[in-house]
Amino acid sequence: MAEGGRSEPSSVLPAEARGVTARRIVLGTQLRRLRENSGISRADAGYTIRASDSKVSRLELGRVAFKERDVADLLTMYGISDPDERDQFLDMVRKANEPGWWRRFTDVIPSWFQEFVGLEESASRIHTYELQFVPGLLQTEAYVRAVLTRGRPDYAPPDTEKRIHLRMQRQSLITGPNPPRYWAVVDESVLRRPIGGRRVLKEQLQFLLEQSKQPHITIQIVPTQLSGYAAEGPFQLLRFAEPELPDVVYIEHLGGAVMLDGVEEIEIFSRALDRLTVDAETPDRSRQMLAKIIAEL
């Protein structure tokens, strides 16, 4: 306990907080705890850094970038005078402000998807359910191209290659060192939908089969007779190692996407995932299904 009975917040960013989005959220949460433990309002904190209370709220939620001067002023206001502790916080500011790798793709991806990519690279566990396409992190380049061009590569939009590169770059999350645990539940119809034609689909299914053998990747197939019961549409559930980061459900639709982090909402989708994993074939049986469908192609 710190002086005055305040809980001493951790001032060291956990090693698991890999992405800049996670770093901002963790730093914002720790600053919020310092403010609350000091009995200082958002309005007073905002006055100190020449900003509104809504700006302080966005900082504490990790929604905006931090300025070292602002954080230094807030630390002084919150009674943090130890040089080493202040240096740790300011080092967190510098790391939280590092640009995400996806910034060079901002011309082809909307802001709401940038936020998701930032959270995705910070997750320790990624659960996904798909019933139309192979999950994005498991798609081959040819499959991605077929999806983005709607099966007509001769009429590809000018930004197609950059979008494909973005998808391939995202895949390094689960193919690189220290990957998150990745669990995909896929409807059987996905494996039989001829996206890109027979050759592209066969190559894609072979890639799925190979990836299913990785120790950090689990793939389960929901057989046709049990399809459509546990969930109405595709979604992803991201879980994080940091206690400051709540679980997040990501649902994409034609006009954009929504991200949910309410306790009751997370519970609903967690139960749906539980039902899906029960309805789906086991990982071993799913590999057998994949091999059989590949042979049929």
Side-chain angles (χ1 to χ4, degrees):
M1 300 287 285
E3 292 183 4
R6 296 182 301 170
S7 298
E8 188 74 25
S10 170
S11 58
V12 179
L13 185 71
E16 294 84 354
R18 293 171 292 189
V20 292
T21 301
R23 292 175 188 143
R24 286 202 309 265
I25 295 174
V26 171
L27 175 56
T29 299
Q30 294 187 7
L31 289 174
R32 175 180 56 78
R33 289 175 180 168
L34 287 175
R35 178 181 59 77
E36 292 175 347
N37 290 340
S38 301
I40 296 171
S41 69
R42 283 198 182 99
D44 288 341
Y47 182 81
T48 295
I49 61 172
R50 303 153 294 280
S52 63
D53 56 346
S54 61
K55 171 68 176 296
V56 174
S57 177
R58 291 195 297 274
L59 285 170
E60 293 179 348
L61 290 171
R63 300 282 172 80
V64 293
F66 296 87
K67 294 180 180 178
E68 287 190 46
R69 182 185 68 176
D70 290 345
V71 173
D73 290 345
L74 289 174
L75 292 175
T76 299
M77 187 182 197
Y78 302 156
I80 305 300
S81 56
D82 179 78
D84 290 338
E85 188 172 5
R86 290 176 67 90
D87 285 345
Q88 287 178 328
F89 270 105
L90 295 178
D91 184 55
M92 290 171 66
V93 173
R94 288 186 284 273
K95 290 179 179 177
N97 286 337
E98 293 174 356
W101 62 264
W102 63 90
R103 297 302 181 193
R104 63 181 183 275
F105 296 98
T106 54
D107 58 326
V108 296
I109 56 175
S111 58
W112 49 264
F113 191 66
Q114 293 175 43
E115 183 176 359
F116 169 72
V117 172
L119 289 170
E120 180 183 62
E121 73 160 3
S122 306
S124 60
R125 296 178 67 91
I126 300 174
H127 301 261
T128 184
Y129 170 58
E130 273 290 351
L131 72 168
Q132 184 172 3
F133 300 111
V134 169
L137 293 182
L138 295 172
Q139 293 178 1
T140 63
E141 183 173 332
Y143 189 94
V144 176
R145 181 173 283 103
V147 171
L148 293 180
T149 62
R150 295 173 173 82
R152 304 180 68 186
D154 293 341
Y155 297 91
D159 60 3
T160 297
E161 293 306 315
K162 192 166 187 179
R163 290 180 181 275
I164 292 172
H165 184 53
L166 168 64
R167 184 69 55 86
M168 296 298 104
Q169 184 74 28
R170 282 177 58 211
Q171 286 189 8
S172 64
L173 175 67
I174 60 172
T175 59
N178 302 314
R181 186 78 172 84
Y182 187 75
W183 197 314
V185 181
V186 182
D187 193 88
E188 182 180 352
S189 63
V190 171
L191 311 182
R192 301 186 182 278
R193 187 169 292 115
I195 299 293
R198 177 178 172 277
R199 182 185 62 80
V200 170
L201 179 61
K202 186 173 183 178
E203 178 189 75
Q204 173 64 77
L205 298 187
Q206 288 171 332
F207 181 70
L208 271 184
L209 185 58
E210 293 168 6
Q211 292 300 97
S212 71
K213 299 172 184 177
Q214 299 296 322
H216 63 287
I217 295 177
T218 299
I219 298 176
Q220 288 186 262
I221 309 301
V222 179
T224 301
Q225 63 268 26
L226 293 176
S227 174
Y229 290 110
E232 298 175 356
F235 64 90
Q236 295 193 59
L237 175 60
L238 308 181
R239 301 187 187 278
F240 305 90
E242 300 77 24
E244 295 91 342
L245 296 173
D247 293 346
V248 173
V249 168
Y250 174 80
I251 306 170
E252 198 167 302
H253 53 80
L254 287 176
V258 293
M259 282 185 277
L260 312 172
D261 60 6
V263 175
E264 293 182 359
E265 296 165 328
I266 297 300
E267 179 63 23
I268 289 171
F269 284 90
S270 294
R271 288 201 301 268
L273 271 175
D274 289 342
R275 291 194 299 270
L276 284 165
T277 55
V278 170
D279 289 348
E281 299 287 0
T282 65
D284 284 342
R285 275 286 301 152
S286 296
R287 280 191 285 271
Q288 292 172 24
M289 285 183 66
L290 276 167
K292 181 180 179 181
I293 296 173
I294 291 169
E296 292 172 354
L297 289 171

